[in-house]
Amino acid sequence: MTITSATAVPTIELNDGRQIPQLGFGVFQIDPDDTARVVGDALEVGYRHIDTAQMYGNERGVGEAVRGSALDRADVFITSKLSNRFHRPEDARRSFDQTLSELGSDYVDLFLIHWPLPTLYDGDFVTTWQALEELRHDGRARSIGVSNFQVDHLERLRAETDVVPAVNQIELHPYFLNDEVRAYDDAHGIATQAWSPIAQGDVLDDPVIGAIADRLGRSPAQVVLRWHIQHGNIVFPKSTTPARIEENFELFDFELEPDDVSEIDARDRGEGGRRGANPDTFAYVP
């Protein structure tokens, strides 16, 4: 792990040799009409990693914000994800072309399969992954990965394909440590990204986290995001409020004590802490 001089955000080396900023900015559920402005605010604060997706409908705004900034395209790491509607290989290739068009870029830094959808497409996410391998080979997707993949899904990719995912983006927060998947990622050189990092806000009222925040003079959100950083997770908080966008970026001038980390770990509720859908059964197609 290294520190970038421009932003003091740690970068993590992926298994393909590329670097990804450990702290990013998420745009899930940000209105497409607001995305360019909000992402522009985030870039001005110092974020250099933006996480979007085809199903969010706001890739265009992300591209507009990057072009409207004083930054070179190469200075901003952009992640997008394949829509659940486009898992068949020919659809995946066509929709990826649309992603590049929406972003106004000739490449994306990281492209993910958004959900495995094991109950759809005859349970075939392998050929979908092989389509992403092609995109990586031709350089238009610099890195490729998955999102919401369980251990058995990852094992199937390992057995039937040639490229190990660089990233697995999963639900992960103090109430749901998702230990089995995270341990598998670690053992196989897959970086773990945490979505819903503050459990949709539920953990912000947790008394243990609140006590740590009070002692450190930080907000509960900062404490939880710092907990992610110290665990080595890639994390991308979302906000549309400029003050909160800035606050969520201020994570690198303090540290949690080991006992603090252990206390937050102990908030885990196992499967009962999951806030989003279970990847084994999720079958939404927009």
Side-chain angles (χ1 to χ4, degrees), residues 7-286:
T7 64
V9 174
T11 62
I12 290 175
E13 183 171 346
L14 301 176
N15 59 24
D16 59 11
R18 290 177 47 78
Q19 302 282 329
I20 184 171
Q22 192 180 5
L23 176 65
F25 183 77
V27 298
F28 176 56
Q29 293 183 332
I30 293 181
D31 190 291
D33 292 338
D34 296 331
T35 301
R37 173 185 58 80
V38 174
V39 173
D41 290 343
L43 294 173
E44 187 171 346
V45 166
Y47 292 87
R48 296 294 181 265
H49 173 191
I50 309 297
D51 181 273
T52 183
Q54 293 177 352
M55 290 195 293
Y56 300 170
N58 54 21
E59 292 172 312
R60 182 179 296 273
V62 171
E64 289 176 1
V66 173
R67 290 192 301 277
S69 72
L71 300 167
D72 291 335
R73 169 65 185 87
D75 293 332
V76 183
F77 191 105
I78 299 177
T79 297
S80 193
K81 313 177 197 74
L82 180 70
S83 170
N84 292 353
R85 181 172 291 277
F86 302 131
H87 269 223
R88 300 201 186 282
E90 62 274 17
D91 294 334
R93 298 183 194 100
R94 185 167 52 250
S95 72
F96 181 78
D97 290 341
Q98 183 63 28
T99 281
L100 295 187
S101 176
E102 291 290 302
L103 291 172
S105 178
D106 58 5
Y107 71 94
V108 66
D109 295 276
L110 176 64
F111 196 60
L112 310 178
I113 298 177
H114 205 151
W115 290 87
L117 305 177
T119 66
L120 300 178
Y121 301 103
D122 300 317
D124 176 23
F125 47 78
V126 171
T127 58
T128 311
W129 179 248
Q130 290 169 333
L132 266 63
E133 289 181 337
E134 295 173 13
L135 300 173
R136 177 179 180 264
H137 179 73
D138 69 22
R140 294 187 299 152
R142 300 289 173 87
S143 297
I144 56 174
V146 295
S147 182
N148 300 298
F149 271 51
Q150 305 278 65
V151 169
D152 59 328
H153 307 142
L154 296 167
E155 276 285 278
R156 186 172 172 196
L157 290 185
R158 190 164 76 97
E160 300 182 34
T161 68
D162 297 326
V163 178
V164 176
V167 163
N168 187 16
Q169 185 180 119
I170 58 175
E171 180 178 352
L172 199 166
H173 48 74
Y175 289 164
F176 185 54
L177 298 187
N178 216 340
D179 276 332
E180 184 182 8
V181 177
R182 173 63 196 273
Y184 184 96
D185 290 348
D186 286 349
H188 294 85
I190 302 170
T192 298
Q193 290 186 339
W195 66 258
S196 193
I198 57 175
Q200 301 173 11
D202 287 353
V203 300
L204 301 184
D205 294 324
D206 186 277
V208 169
I209 292 168
I212 295 170
D214 288 345
R215 194 186 78 245
L216 295 175
R218 297 286 176 162
S219 72
Q222 286 175 314
V223 167
V224 175
L225 294 172
R226 181 67 206 183
W227 171 84
H228 280 286
I229 295 294
Q230 290 182 215
H231 269 303
N233 304 330
I234 301 164
V235 64
F236 39 92
K238 182 207 82 173
S239 178
T240 59
T241 305
R244 184 62 57 82
I245 292 171
E246 186 169 358
E247 176 186 285
N248 290 342
F249 192 75
E250 296 171 348
L251 306 178
F252 305 105
D253 58 349
F254 76 103
E255 289 190 7
L256 302 179
E257 296 295 333
D259 287 348
D260 296 333
V261 173
S262 296
E263 284 191 37
I264 296 173
D265 289 350
R267 311 310 289 162
D268 182 36
R269 300 174 181 176
E271 192 63 30
R274 189 190 289 276
R275 294 296 185 269
N278 188 314
D280 288 325
T281 57
F282 188 63
Y284 169 74
V285 175

